[in-house]
Amino acid sequence: MLEVLYRIVEEVNAAPDLGEALGVIVRRVKQAVAVDVCSVYLTDFERREHVLRATNGLRQEAVGKVRLPFHRGLIGLVCERAEPINLDDAPSHPKYLFITESGEMPYHGFLGVPIIQNRQVLGVLVVRQRTPRKFGDNEVSFLFTLAAQLAGAIIHAQASGELTRLQSSVESPGRFLNGRPSSPGVAMGKLVVAYRLSDLNAVPDRKSDDPEKDVILFQDAVRRVKEDLKQLQSRMDQTLPAEERALFDALLLMLGGDSLVGQTIEKIREGEWVQAALHHTIEEHARVFDAMDDVYLRERASDIRDLGRRILMRLQTDTPPEMEYPDQTILVGGEVSAVDLVQVPKEKLVGVVSATGSSLSHVAILARGLGLPAVMGVTDLPVGRLDGWDAILDGYRGRIYVSPEPSVRMEYQRLVEEDLKLDRELEEMRGKPAETTDGTRIGLYLNTGLISEMGSLGVTESSGVGLYRTELPFMIRDRFPGEAAQVLNYRKVLETFAPRPVALRTLDIGGDKPLPYFPVSESNPFLGWRGIRISLDHPEIFLTQVRAMLLAASGLDNLHIMLPMITTLTEVDELIRLINQARDELLEEGHGISPPRIGVMVEVPAAVYQVEALARRVDFISVGTNDLTQYMLAVDRNNPWVADIYDDMHPSVLKALVHIVEEAHRVNRPVSICGEMAGNPLASILLLGMGVDSLSMSAGSLLRVKWVIRSISRKKARKLLKAALKVEDSRQVRQIMQKALEQMGLGRLVRLGR
Ligand code: PEP
Ligand code: MG
């Protein structure tokens, strides 16, 4: 049976469209299980019906016509229970429905298995036998496995609009593909598949006729690709700050270095034809990164292949084809590169979608820098079939609607307009203090990591920087930045905000933030070598960074140093010793350096229960609720399969936060919240009720949270917190908070998933 299963799966995968795939399934399953009928029903969510979409054994005219309302018949029961139903005598079941339209005779044997994806029943795969027959375990699991295959094909069909066409006159249920929200905003436009340049894999292996001539051709191609890149980089000069433009420097460095260029020349001189020599060198380099476990390093492989294709194209043609981009282009691809993105004229580009990557990919960082909505890691993306389709990209929720129905389009149009209107209303909050109606002031700080994220709003509307993620500038380079480069970087932030405080977090690499030039291979990166664990093992990296921070703050005195991922007290003692050492060295070198304020981040459950002792050692506590939630709930914060369980409003997280605030306040240390939770209007009320001293968030959330704070009293926030702490799950917590916001007339602050 396994052999048959394998062959059917292959045929289904090779089918050009869903109709064919369904045809293959019903024909082959009927044969394999030796039944009289095999059919597939698909769910029409809009009309709340199960529709016969393919059959082998029933009349073909019935396809598309037999429609069973939800909960009717045995098909309805399979969907309702979301489990197989196996009956040797179906007509005697109380739910049995006799349908004449399909030419049914009273079939006795019945086995129906649900087709499920992401907890949703997309349809039913059913086999029928004229005589009574109870199906065996292996037949049930056979159908099960095929149903799982079909689920994937159905999702693809939905994405390309094919399902809508298949459902002919039927309205689409308005469904979407899911990915990772990587840059906020909504885009409505046309999908353009990122133009793929020359194909390295198509290059044949050959010997070189004239190696020296090939070397010259190659060097010339590299020179021209460098010029292309520089031109693209300068095109970005006005729109992108130096930090982000460093992405291009990394690519140019690869071309300037010995490894790619030198090795290709070596291969040519050993007799390989120039194009083959390039292909082999690129593959050797890319494969090293391919083999790495983490997403970020794998993306370096795509950078290398992208460069390879560019050089190959220059070897093959003098005039690369000019691409025409429609207005409102949404760039889409299996692996969209940062260079692909900047090739689209800025005025035409409205969004980016990629099947691979995450919010940490170069292209996502770039999209945020340019204010373009982006969704990454859309694993079900049928890239080959998307060019030219209309689409809606929801960067808040990580959704793509391909060929959306007018109802979805209208809804988004309305939301976009509402968003704009809300932005205008929010403008009124500018310049006003973040003060509750009963006079409690809360510090609203900015989370940032790239200079471009410090837009004017972030600078004018914040009380300072509550979290500067120093690893981002480290990630977009190809080596550790030296002391001087770091000083420049930190000085810019410290100066921009002075005299307001700026909390620079020491390097928090590892976990989901590896450095390409500092590869770490672990089976459990989030539980492994990350944050200050690396700093303690590599004091030279930590000391360089702290020296740079202290030097950068000289004369400004607004530096706060924040230590991430603290698990034990000894870690803090050792890190403070190193900070003091760095300061002593600088004093000895004659620099006037005042002592920085030091804070510990509470991100690990162990730190929650030692928070008082931790707080006593430092000046402030900052809670990283993103990681704290991840570690308390044991849910990988980046894993889409468990994204539904990740919830920073889980009652246990709330209780941990209450405890942290109480303990830190006991020793008079202020508490700041700097995870995503701080920028969520619903959660901000709870945090206010807990008595936190400040909230730190991205620029886009500042005015929204300020509006909430200015609309509520601390007393009311405490009351709401008390109510929230009494309920047993986060859904109920949300309901309480949502209701409170609605009553305050601020419900629209959370409707678009902002
Ligand atoms: C956090 O964990 O909440 C946090 C602010 O840090 P990061 O998201 O950078 O891990
Ligand atoms: Mg963290």
Side-chain angles (χ1 to χ4, degrees), residues 2-58:
L2 194 66
E3 179 69 13
V4 180
L5 184 90
Y6 193 67
R7 258 186 280 126
I8 302 181
V9 167
E10 266 192 348
E11 268 186 67
V12 169
N13 283 340
D17 55 40
L18 182 63
E20 289 272 332
L22 296 181
V24 169
I25 291 257
V26 291
R27 186 163 35 84
R28 304 286 268 119
V29 169
K30 184 172 172 244
Q31 269 173 6
V33 194
V35 281
D36 296 316
V37 177
C38 176
S39 312
V40 174
Y41 286 79
L42 293 188
T43 310
D44 180 339
F45 291 91
E46 190 79 1
R47 288 207 188 174
R48 301 178 56 76
E49 289 171 339
H50 306 295
V51 188
L52 180 68
R53 281 287 156 222
T55 185
N56 197 307
L58 300 179

Coordinates of all heavy atoms in Angstrom, one line a residue, residues 2-58:
L2 N 2.0 1.1 0.7 CA 2.9 2.3 0.8 C 3.4 2.7 -0.6 O 3.4 3.9 -0.9 CB 4.1 2.0 1.7 CG 4.9 3.2 2.1 CD1 4.0 4.1 3.0 CD2 6.2 2.7 2.9
E3 N 3.7 1.7 -1.4 CA 4.1 2.0 -2.8 C 3.1 2.7 -3.6 O 3.3 3.7 -4.2 CB 4.4 0.6 -3.4 CG 4.9 0.6 -4.8 CD 6.3 1.2 -4.9 OE1 7.0 1.4 -3.9 OE2 6.7 1.5 -6.1
V4 N 1.8 2.3 -3.4 CA 0.7 2.9 -4.2 C 0.5 4.3 -3.7 O 0.4 5.3 -4.5 CB -0.6 2.1 -3.9 CG1 -1.8 2.7 -4.7 CG2 -0.5 0.7 -4.3
L5 N 0.6 4.5 -2.4 CA 0.4 5.8 -1.8 C 1.5 6.8 -2.3 O 1.2 7.9 -2.8 CB 0.6 5.7 -0.3 CG 0.3 6.9 0.5 CD1 -1.1 7.1 0.9 CD2 1.2 7.0 1.7
Y6 N 2.7 6.3 -2.4 CA 3.8 7.1 -2.8 C 3.5 7.5 -4.3 O 3.7 8.7 -4.6 CB 5.0 6.2 -2.8 CG 6.3 7.0 -2.9 CD1 6.7 7.9 -1.9 CD2 7.1 6.8 -4.0 CE1 7.9 8.6 -2.1 CE2 8.3 7.5 -4.2 CZ 8.7 8.4 -3.2 OH 9.8 9.1 -3.4
R7 N 3.0 6.6 -5.1 CA 2.8 7.0 -6.5 C 1.7 8.0 -6.7 O 1.7 8.9 -7.5 CB 2.5 5.7 -7.3 CG 3.8 5.3 -8.1 CD 3.6 4.2 -9.1 NE 3.7 2.9 -8.3 CZ 2.7 2.0 -8.3 NH1 1.6 2.2 -9.1 NH2 2.9 0.9 -7.7
I8 N 0.6 7.8 -5.9 CA -0.5 8.7 -6.0 C 0.0 10.1 -5.5 O -0.3 11.1 -6.2 CB -1.7 8.3 -5.1 CG1 -2.2 6.9 -5.5 CG2 -2.9 9.3 -5.2 CD1 -3.4 6.4 -4.8
V9 N 0.7 10.2 -4.5 CA 1.2 11.5 -4.0 C 2.0 12.2 -5.1 O 1.9 13.4 -5.3 CB 2.1 11.3 -2.7 CG1 2.8 12.6 -2.3 CG2 1.1 10.9 -1.5
E10 N 2.9 11.4 -5.7 CA 3.7 12.0 -6.8 C 2.8 12.5 -7.9 O 3.0 13.6 -8.4 CB 4.6 10.9 -7.4 CG 5.9 10.9 -6.8 CD 6.9 10.0 -7.5 OE1 6.5 9.2 -8.4 OE2 8.1 10.1 -7.2
E11 N 1.8 11.7 -8.3 CA 0.9 12.2 -9.4 C 0.1 13.4 -8.9 O -0.1 14.4 -9.7 CB -0.2 11.1 -9.7 CG 0.3 10.2 -10.8 CD -0.8 9.2 -11.2 OE1 -1.8 9.6 -11.7 OE2 -0.7 8.0 -10.9
V12 N -0.3 13.5 -7.7 CA -1.1 14.7 -7.2 C -0.2 15.9 -7.2 O -0.6 16.9 -7.7 CB -1.6 14.4 -5.7 CG1 -2.1 15.7 -5.1 CG2 -2.7 13.4 -5.8
N13 N 1.1 15.7 -6.8 CA 2.0 16.8 -6.8 C 2.3 17.3 -8.2 O 2.5 18.5 -8.5 CB 3.3 16.4 -6.2 CG 3.2 16.4 -4.7 OD1 2.3 17.1 -4.1 ND2 4.0 15.7 -4.0
A14 N 2.3 16.4 -9.2 CA 2.6 16.8 -10.6 C 1.4 17.4 -11.3 O 1.5 17.9 -12.4 CB 3.1 15.6 -11.3
A15 N 0.2 17.2 -10.7 CA -1.0 17.7 -11.4 C -1.0 19.2 -11.6 O -0.5 19.9 -10.7 CB -2.3 17.4 -10.6
P16 N -1.3 19.7 -12.8 CA -1.2 21.2 -13.0 C -2.1 22.0 -12.3 O -1.9 23.2 -12.1 CB -1.4 21.3 -14.6 CG -2.2 20.1 -14.9 CD -1.8 19.0 -13.9
D17 N -3.3 21.5 -11.9 CA -4.2 22.3 -11.1 C -5.0 21.4 -10.2 O -4.9 20.2 -10.2 CB -5.1 23.1 -12.1 CG -5.9 22.2 -13.0 OD1 -6.3 21.1 -12.6 OD2 -6.0 22.6 -14.2
L18 N -5.9 22.1 -9.4 CA -6.6 21.4 -8.4 C -7.6 20.4 -9.0 O -7.7 19.3 -8.5 CB -7.3 22.4 -7.5 CG -8.1 21.8 -6.3 CD1 -7.2 21.1 -5.3 CD2 -8.9 22.8 -5.6
G19 N -8.2 20.8 -10.1 CA -9.2 19.9 -10.7 C -8.6 18.6 -11.1 O -9.1 17.5 -10.8
E20 N -7.4 18.7 -11.7 CA -6.6 17.5 -12.1 C -6.3 16.7 -10.8 O -6.4 15.4 -10.8 CB -5.4 17.8 -12.8 CG -5.6 18.4 -14.2 CD -5.7 17.3 -15.3 OE1 -5.0 16.2 -15.0 OE2 -6.4 17.5 -16.3
A21 N -5.8 17.4 -9.8 CA -5.4 16.7 -8.6 C -6.5 15.9 -8.0 O -6.4 14.7 -7.6 CB -4.8 17.7 -7.6
L22 N -7.7 16.5 -8.0 CA -8.9 15.8 -7.4 C -9.2 14.6 -8.3 O -9.5 13.5 -7.8 CB -10.1 16.8 -7.4 CG -9.9 18.0 -6.4 CD1 -11.2 18.8 -6.5 CD2 -9.7 17.5 -5.0
G23 N -9.1 14.8 -9.6 CA -9.4 13.7 -10.6 C -8.5 12.5 -10.3 O -8.9 11.4 -10.3
V24 N -7.2 12.8 -10.1 CA -6.2 11.7 -9.8 C -6.6 11.0 -8.6 O -6.7 9.8 -8.5 CB -4.8 12.3 -9.7 CG1 -3.8 11.3 -9.1 CG2 -4.3 12.9 -11.0
I25 N -6.9 11.8 -7.5 CA -7.2 11.1 -6.2 C -8.4 10.2 -6.4 O -8.4 9.0 -6.0 CB -7.5 12.2 -5.2 CG1 -6.3 13.0 -4.8 CG2 -8.2 11.6 -4.0 CD1 -5.6 12.7 -3.5
V26 N -9.5 10.7 -6.9 CA -10.7 9.9 -6.9 C -10.6 8.6 -7.8 O -11.0 7.5 -7.4 CB -12.0 10.6 -7.3 CG1 -12.4 11.6 -6.2 CG2 -11.9 11.3 -8.7
R27 N -9.8 8.7 -8.9 CA -9.6 7.6 -9.8 C -8.7 6.6 -9.1 O -9.1 5.4 -9.0 CB -9.0 8.1 -11.1 CG -8.9 7.1 -12.2 CD -8.7 7.7 -13.5 NE -7.9 8.9 -13.5 CZ -6.5 9.0 -13.5 NH1 -5.8 7.9 -13.5 NH2 -5.9 10.1 -13.4
R28 N -7.6 7.0 -8.6 CA -6.6 6.1 -8.1 C -7.0 5.5 -6.7 O -6.8 4.3 -6.4 CB -5.3 6.8 -7.9 CG -4.8 7.5 -9.1 CD -4.2 6.5 -10.2 NE -2.8 6.3 -10.0 CZ -2.2 5.2 -9.7 NH1 -2.9 4.1 -9.5 NH2 -0.9 5.1 -9.6
V29 N -7.8 6.3 -5.9 CA -8.2 5.7 -4.6 C -9.3 4.6 -4.9 O -9.2 3.6 -4.2 CB -8.7 6.8 -3.7 CG1 -9.4 6.2 -2.5 CG2 -7.6 7.7 -3.3
K30 N -10.1 4.9 -5.8 CA -11.2 3.9 -6.1 C -10.5 2.6 -6.4 O -11.0 1.5 -5.9 CB -12.1 4.4 -7.2 CG -13.2 3.5 -7.5 CD -14.2 4.1 -8.5 CE -15.2 3.1 -9.0 NZ -15.1 2.8 -10.4
Q31 N -9.5 2.7 -7.3 CA -8.8 1.4 -7.7 C -8.1 0.8 -6.4 O -8.2 -0.4 -6.2 CB -7.7 1.8 -8.6 CG -8.0 1.7 -10.1 CD -6.8 2.3 -10.9 OE1 -5.8 2.6 -10.3 NE2 -7.1 2.5 -12.2
A32 N -7.3 1.6 -5.7 CA -6.5 1.1 -4.7 C -7.2 0.5 -3.5 O -6.8 -0.6 -3.0 CB -5.6 2.2 -4.1
V33 N -8.4 1.1 -3.2 CA -9.2 0.5 -2.1 C -10.2 -0.5 -2.6 O -10.9 -1.1 -1.8 CB -9.8 1.7 -1.2 CG1 -10.3 1.2 0.1 CG2 -8.7 2.8 -1.0
A34 N -10.3 -0.6 -3.9 CA -11.3 -1.4 -4.5 C -12.8 -1.1 -4.0 O -13.4 -2.0 -3.3 CB -11.0 -2.9 -4.3
V35 N -13.2 0.1 -4.2 CA -14.5 0.5 -3.8 C -15.4 0.8 -5.1 O -14.9 0.9 -6.2 CB -14.5 1.7 -2.9 CG1 -14.1 1.4 -1.5 CG2 -13.6 2.8 -3.5
D36 N -16.7 1.1 -4.8 CA -17.5 1.4 -6.0 C -17.5 2.9 -6.3 O -17.7 3.3 -7.4 CB -19.0 1.0 -5.7 CG -19.0 -0.5 -5.5 OD1 -18.4 -1.2 -6.3 OD2 -19.6 -1.0 -4.5
V37 N -17.3 3.7 -5.3 CA -17.3 5.2 -5.5 C -16.2 5.8 -4.6 O -15.9 5.4 -3.5 CB -18.6 5.8 -5.0 CG1 -18.6 7.3 -5.2 CG2 -19.8 5.2 -5.8
C38 N -15.5 6.8 -5.2 CA -14.6 7.7 -4.4 C -15.0 9.1 -4.8 O -15.0 9.4 -6.0 CB -13.2 7.4 -4.6 SG -12.1 8.6 -3.7
S39 N -15.2 10.0 -3.8 CA -15.6 11.3 -4.1 C -14.9 12.3 -3.2 O -14.4 11.9 -2.1 CB -17.1 11.6 -3.9 OG -17.9 10.6 -4.5
V40 N -14.8 13.6 -3.7 CA -14.3 14.6 -2.8 C -15.3 15.7 -2.7 O -15.8 16.2 -3.7 CB -12.9 15.2 -3.3 CG1 -12.5 16.4 -2.5 CG2 -11.9 14.2 -3.4
Y41 N -15.6 16.1 -1.5 CA -16.5 17.3 -1.2 C -15.5 18.4 -0.7 O -14.7 18.2 0.1 CB -17.5 17.0 -0.1 CG -18.6 16.1 -0.6 CD1 -18.4 14.7 -0.7 CD2 -19.9 16.6 -1.0 CE1 -19.4 13.9 -1.1 CE2 -20.9 15.8 -1.4 CZ -20.7 14.4 -1.5 OH -21.7 13.6 -1.9
L42 N -15.7 19.6 -1.2 CA -15.0 20.7 -0.6 C -15.9 21.7 0.1 O -17.1 21.8 -0.3 CB -14.2 21.5 -1.7 CG -13.1 20.7 -2.4 CD1 -12.3 21.7 -3.4 CD2 -12.1 20.1 -1.5
T43 N -15.4 22.4 1.1 CA -16.3 23.3 1.9 C -16.4 24.6 1.2 O -15.3 25.2 0.9 CB -15.7 23.4 3.3 OG1 -15.4 22.1 3.8 CG2 -16.6 24.1 4.2
D44 N -17.6 25.1 1.0 CA -17.8 26.5 0.6 C -18.2 27.3 1.8 O -19.3 27.2 2.3 CB -18.9 26.5 -0.5 CG -19.2 27.9 -1.0 OD1 -18.8 28.8 -0.3 OD2 -19.8 28.0 -2.1
F45 N -17.2 28.0 2.3 CA -17.4 28.7 3.6 C -18.4 29.8 3.5 O -19.1 30.1 4.5 CB -16.1 29.2 4.2 CG -15.2 28.1 4.6 CD1 -14.2 27.5 3.7 CD2 -15.2 27.6 5.9 CE1 -13.4 26.5 4.1 CE2 -14.4 26.5 6.3 CZ -13.5 26.0 5.4
E46 N -18.4 30.4 2.4 CA -19.3 31.6 2.2 C -20.8 31.1 2.3 O -21.6 31.6 3.0 CB -19.1 32.2 0.9 CG -19.8 33.5 0.6 CD -19.0 34.7 1.4 OE1 -18.0 34.5 2.0 OE2 -19.6 35.8 1.3
R47 N -21.1 30.0 1.5 CA -22.5 29.5 1.5 C -22.8 28.5 2.6 O -23.9 28.0 2.7 CB -22.7 28.9 0.2 CG -22.9 29.9 -1.0 CD -23.7 29.2 -2.0 NE -23.8 29.9 -3.2 CZ -24.4 29.5 -4.3 NH1 -25.0 28.3 -4.2 NH2 -24.5 30.2 -5.4
R48 N -21.7 28.2 3.3 CA -21.9 27.2 4.4 C -22.4 25.8 3.8 O -23.4 25.3 4.3 CB -22.7 27.7 5.6 CG -22.2 29.0 6.2 CD -23.0 29.5 7.3 NE -23.3 28.6 8.3 CZ -22.4 28.2 9.3 NH1 -21.2 28.7 9.3 NH2 -22.8 27.3 10.2
E49 N -21.7 25.4 2.8 CA -22.1 24.1 2.2 C -20.9 23.2 1.9 O -19.8 23.8 1.7 CB -22.8 24.4 0.8 CG -24.2 25.0 0.9 CD -24.7 25.5 -0.4 OE1 -23.9 25.7 -1.4 OE2 -25.9 25.7 -0.5
H50 N -21.2 21.9 1.8 CA -20.1 21.0 1.3 C -20.5 20.7 -0.1 O -21.6 20.2 -0.4 CB -20.1 19.8 2.2 CG -19.9 20.1 3.6 ND1 -18.7 20.7 4.1 CD2 -20.7 20.0 4.7 CE1 -18.9 20.9 5.4 NE2 -20.1 20.5 5.8
V51 N -19.6 20.9 -1.1 CA -19.9 20.8 -2.5 C -19.2 19.6 -3.1 O -18.0 19.5 -2.9 CB -19.5 22.1 -3.3 CG1 -20.1 22.0 -4.7 CG2 -20.0 23.3 -2.5
L52 N -19.9 18.7 -3.8 CA -19.3 17.6 -4.5 C -18.4 18.2 -5.6 O -18.9 18.9 -6.5 CB -20.3 16.7 -5.1 CG -19.7 15.5 -5.8 CD1 -19.1 14.5 -4.9 CD2 -20.8 14.8 -6.6
R53 N -17.0 17.9 -5.5 CA -16.1 18.6 -6.5 C -15.5 17.5 -7.4 O -15.0 17.9 -8.5 CB -15.0 19.3 -5.7 CG -15.4 20.6 -5.2 CD -15.5 21.6 -6.4 NE -16.4 22.7 -6.0 CZ -17.3 23.2 -6.8 NH1 -17.5 22.8 -8.1 NH2 -18.1 24.2 -6.4
A54 N -15.5 16.3 -7.0 CA -14.9 15.3 -7.9 C -15.5 13.9 -7.5 O -15.7 13.7 -6.3 CB -13.4 15.2 -7.8
T55 N -15.7 13.1 -8.5 CA -16.2 11.7 -8.2 C -15.8 10.7 -9.2 O -15.6 11.0 -10.4 CB -17.7 11.7 -8.0 OG1 -18.1 10.4 -7.6 CG2 -18.4 12.0 -9.3
N56 N -15.6 9.5 -8.8 CA -15.4 8.4 -9.7 C -16.4 7.3 -9.2 O -16.2 6.8 -8.1 CB -13.9 7.9 -9.7 CG -13.6 7.1 -10.9 OD1 -14.4 6.1 -11.1 ND2 -12.6 7.4 -11.6
G57 N -17.5 7.2 -9.9 CA -18.4 6.2 -9.5 C -19.8 6.8 -9.5 O -20.8 6.1 -9.8
L58 N -19.9 8.1 -9.2 CA -21.3 8.7 -9.2 C -21.3 9.5 -10.6 O -20.4 9.6 -11.3 CB -21.4 9.8 -8.1 CG -21.3 9.2 -6.7 CD1 -21.5 10.4 -5.7 CD2 -22.4 8.2 -6.4

